[in-house]
Amino acid sequence: MHGRIHRGAIAALAVGTAAIGAPAAVVFADPSGDHARSHGSPTAHVLLISVDGLHQSDLEWYVRNNPGSELAKLVDGGAAYARAQTPIPSDSFPGMTAQVTGGNPRTTGVYYDDEYSHAVLPAGTTSCHGQPTGGEVIYDSPDDKDATVLDAGQGLAGLPGSIPEMTGQPQSLVNPAALPVDPRTCMPIYPHEYVEVNTIFEVAHDHGLRTAWSDKHPAYEALDGPSGNGIDDLFTPEIDSNALEPSGNPYPGEISWTGDNAATMQYDSYKVQAILNEIDGFDHSAKTKVGVPAIFGMNFQTVSTAEKLLSSDGLNGGYLPGTTTPGPLLHRALNFIDAKLQAMNEEIQARGLADSTAIILSAKHGQSPQDPNSLTRIKDGPIIEAINAAWEAAHPGAGALIVAGVDDDAWQSYLSDTSQHAADFVREYLWSHPATGIAYDGSSHTLAHSGLSKIYAGKDAARYFGVSSGDPRHPDLWGVVQVGVVYTGGSKIAEHGGANPADRDVPIVVYAPGAVKPGRFRPWVETTQIAPTVLDLLGLDPDALQAVQIEGTQALPGTARR
């Protein structure tokens, strides 16, 4: 059995949230940081920033060319890790979960924001007795009450300007009918219930410390952790909604916030303002004085869309052809990030929090390819249809073999038949058939092996992810793409989710004056190490994290006080 719903081993292995010294009543610590200082740490607040899509090479290029920038100040004044990587798959959901739990997907149970589990029932199931299990697990914008509006269906008037009034408890904006169903209880499985281990927010909250976060979908209530209450103030404007200019008029073309880079910057600015309000000691809306959170932060999407868009606002997206040098749109996006980080740091200093606040900068994922000349866009739909047709021809009456999977710049398939024979059938088909796609210049390009370089099927896929072959959550088949392959029918020029270096090579910078000595570190590290580092900086025990116990995750080199 597997998961918080399907496995009990974690409870026996690790301390539960009730067993780590939680106070009988939660009392929020005041902004002075008495808790941290009573435990020998000068750090009372940790501001965690994820710049999605940011590569280590991007950061190095920007700092080299902008030595007086805010990013340069953070790198030069902090502990900077030049060989950091995200977990595999390099998707947003497992990437963020890693940073706040200390665990890889094999431990957290989170593989993608749109995955599949052989141990759940499909969304909408109401009669569960005797039903065969297996269903999609989508924790993304389709879960919203209304994914077309920025407030996800809360019903605010005056959007987008009124978005700061969006609730800090977004679980209320998740539509339970869109969620997978637990076959034991016949109840919807909320995102936080699907996560198998606790989070830094829960540990801090259990010690009476205030927590806050801002992200791109209400489904990020998953970061609340299994308790469902790790984050006191969770601001989640819906990024997939219809983008509105500040006037309230739709953007031309009625796009989402990711369809135009200027729209993405506008969207990110709402979350930046929430951070500034929290630095000032208010909740994200600036209406209630609550004290500066011990752990708070946000993710930026501006760099990610600047890498994906072929062009936007009259500027070419991605990197200069033949190089990994940011092109004009990405350069502008990096300038935007730098300016917003500067605004945050200036507010921290203005409020007298500079000596007690650590800033950690990283990314949920990178993006591939960087060099657009290596791009090949391949439609995966026809390939899946061909595999299913071949299977049904060889096994009359069997039905479709591939029942789910999201192929961004990796191949992942979930199968109706979980036998090794079925997995080998898919692997052999993919490996023996070429695939034709479109290159950056618009020309047709044919690649061997369906665009893949390696394929792991059945037991090999389980071994790849470090789980048993009976684990119901990992992909039944996992393929690593040839560098540059993106499975899409659209015009995007980069994507994430895969296992190639550009998907995974992200920065980590820990800027904590008085707590962490500046330096450049070359050892390989992983973004999972951010979680124990955050707790250690705050004077909390990293071993209170279940994933830290299970995986032995260490705090980042040069930061640990113990």
Side-chain angles (χ1 to χ4, degrees):
M1 306 296 280
H2 185 69
R4 180 173 180 267
I5 298 163
H6 309 290
R7 183 174 67 189
I10 287 176
L13 260 174
V15 294
T17 53
I20 56 177
V26 173
V27 180
F28 296 134
D30 72 37
S32 65
D34 289 342
H35 170 89
R37 286 170 180 162
S38 70
H39 287 75
S41 172
T43 303
H45 316 284
V46 177
L47 175 61
L48 177 58
I49 301 294
S50 176
V51 183
D52 294 1
L54 186 67
H55 301 99
Q56 173 64 16
S57 61
D58 300 330
L59 181 62
E60 291 175 350
W61 176 86
Y62 193 85
V63 168
R64 186 168 61 249
N65 288 279
N66 301 273
S69 65
E70 190 68 25
L71 284 167
K73 293 176 185 176
L74 294 176
V75 170
D76 293 341
Y81 301 86
R83 297 179 63 204
Q85 289 192 318
T86 65
I88 301 172
S90 61
D91 181 53
S92 297
F93 228 51
M96 194 67 243
T97 306
Q99 292 189 33
V100 301
T101 65
N104 283 277
R106 67 178 182 271
T107 301
T108 66
V110 176
Y111 287 82
Y112 229 78
D113 57 14
D114 184 350
E115 58 179 277
Y116 185 94
S117 172
H118 293 289
V120 305
L121 294 171
T125 302
T126 57
S127 178
C128 300
H129 181 69
Q131 295 295 322
T133 57
E136 284 192 273
V137 179
I138 301 174
Y139 292 137
D140 204 334
S141 55
D143 294 342
D144 297 354
K145 286 187 173 180
D146 186 348
T148 68
V149 289
L150 187 59
D151 67 2
Q154 183 174 336
L156 295 174
L159 291 171
S162 62
I163 194 59
E165 299 173 24
M166 186 176 181
T167 179
Q169 301 297 322
Q171 187 180 123
S172 62
L173 300 176
V174 173
N175 175 15
L179 303 176
V181 173
D182 185 339
R184 298 183 309 169
T185 64
C186 212
M187 296 294 291
I189 304 169
Y190 277 82
H192 71 270
E193 296 176 305
Y194 197 72
V195 180
E196 296 184 320
V197 290
N198 63 344
T199 70
I200 56 175
F201 300 111
E202 289 177 294
V203 174
H205 196 259
D206 285 346
H207 283 79
L209 303 176
R210 184 170 178 82
T211 58
W213 186 254
S214 180
D215 224 299
K216 58 184 181 178
H217 311 297
Y220 273 84
E221 68 94 33
L223 304 184
D224 271 323
S227 70
N229 62 7
I231 303 176
D232 297 303
D233 186 4
L234 180 56
F235 180 50
T236 59
E238 178 52 65
I239 196 168
D240 289 340
S241 63
N242 299 329
L244 301 173
E245 295 175 338
S247 64
N249 293 323
Y251 268 79
E254 298 184 351
I255 57 171
S256 75
W257 297 93
T258 60
D260 179 277
N261 196 240
T264 313
M265 288 193 290
Q266 180 186 333
Y267 168 87
D268 277 346
S269 294
Y270 296 128
K271 294 188 291 185
V272 171
Q273 187 58 54
I275 297 297
L276 296 175
N277 294 340
E278 289 159 1
I279 292 170
D280 291 345
F282 290 91
D283 66 1
H284 78 265
S285 71
K287 289 190 172 181
T288 306
K289 193 78 171 181
V290 290
V292 183
I295 303 174
F296 63 127
M298 64 169 283
N299 81 302
F300 282 96
Q301 287 294 298
T302 297
V303 164
S304 181
T305 62
E307 291 172 337
K308 286 184 177 184
L309 293 170
L310 181 62
S311 64
S312 185
D313 312 319
L315 301 172
N316 289 336
Y319 298 82
L320 300 180
T323 77
T324 57
T325 301
L329 188 67
L330 182 52
H331 189 179
R332 186 185 74 172
L334 293 169
N335 285 337
F336 171 82
I337 300 298
D338 189 74
K340 295 305 181 182
L341 290 173
Q342 181 178 353
M344 293 179 195
N345 208 359
E346 288 177 350
E347 196 69 15
I348 287 170
Q349 295 179 44
R351 296 298 173 182
L353 301 172
D355 292 336
S356 61
T357 301
I359 300 173
I360 299 180
L361 175 73
S362 190
K364 296 176 184 175
H365 56 77
Q367 212 108 260
S368 181
Q370 287 183 276
D371 177 6
N373 285 346
S374 65
L375 174 69
T376 303
R377 292 186 290 253
I378 299 173
K379 294 181 180 180
D380 62 338
I383 301 174
I384 294 171
E385 291 172 4
I387 292 171
N388 283 338
W391 175 259
E392 291 173 27
H395 304 80
L401 178 56
I402 297 178
V403 292
V406 178
D407 306 322
D408 288 326
D409 71 335
W411 188 283
Q412 51 185 330
S413 293
Y414 293 89
L415 309 181
S416 59
D417 181 338
T418 57
S419 68
Q420 189 64 41
H421 166 69
D424 288 341
F425 183 93
V426 179
R427 178 185 59 194
E428 290 167 9
Y429 187 98
L430 290 169
W431 196 253
S432 62
H433 286 73
T436 300
I438 305 300
Y440 180 71
D441 62 6
S443 63
S444 180
H445 195 192
T446 299
L447 299 175
H449 313 311
S450 304
L452 298 169
S453 64
K454 295 180 181 178
I455 303 176
Y456 301 87
K459 293 179 181 178
D460 288 339
R463 191 175 300 113
Y464 181 89
F465 287 108
V467 295
S468 69
S469 57
D471 180 288
R473 297 192 183 189
H474 76 278
D476 297 312
L477 187 135
W478 171 262
V480 179
V481 300
Q482 297 172 36
V483 173
V485 168
V486 175
Y487 292 107
T488 178
S491 61
K492 67 178 72 172
I493 60 173
E495 194 45 279
H496 56 273
N500 283 316
D503 292 304
R504 302 187 64 203
D505 292 346
V506 299
I508 299 178
V509 178
V510 180
Y511 179 82
V516 175
K517 292 182 179 180
R520 305 293 176 97
F521 293 84
R522 297 294 303 175
W524 180 88
V525 295
E526 194 174 69
T527 54
T528 54
Q529 294 177 253
I530 291 172
T533 300
V534 169
L535 295 187
D536 193 70
L537 285 169
L538 291 171
L540 301 174
D541 184 3
D543 283 338
L545 288 170
Q546 295 162 343
V548 165
Q549 292 192 43
I550 295 167
E551 295 190 16
T553 314
Q554 299 295 307
L556 290 161
T559 66
R561 297 183 302 107
R562 292 174 175 80

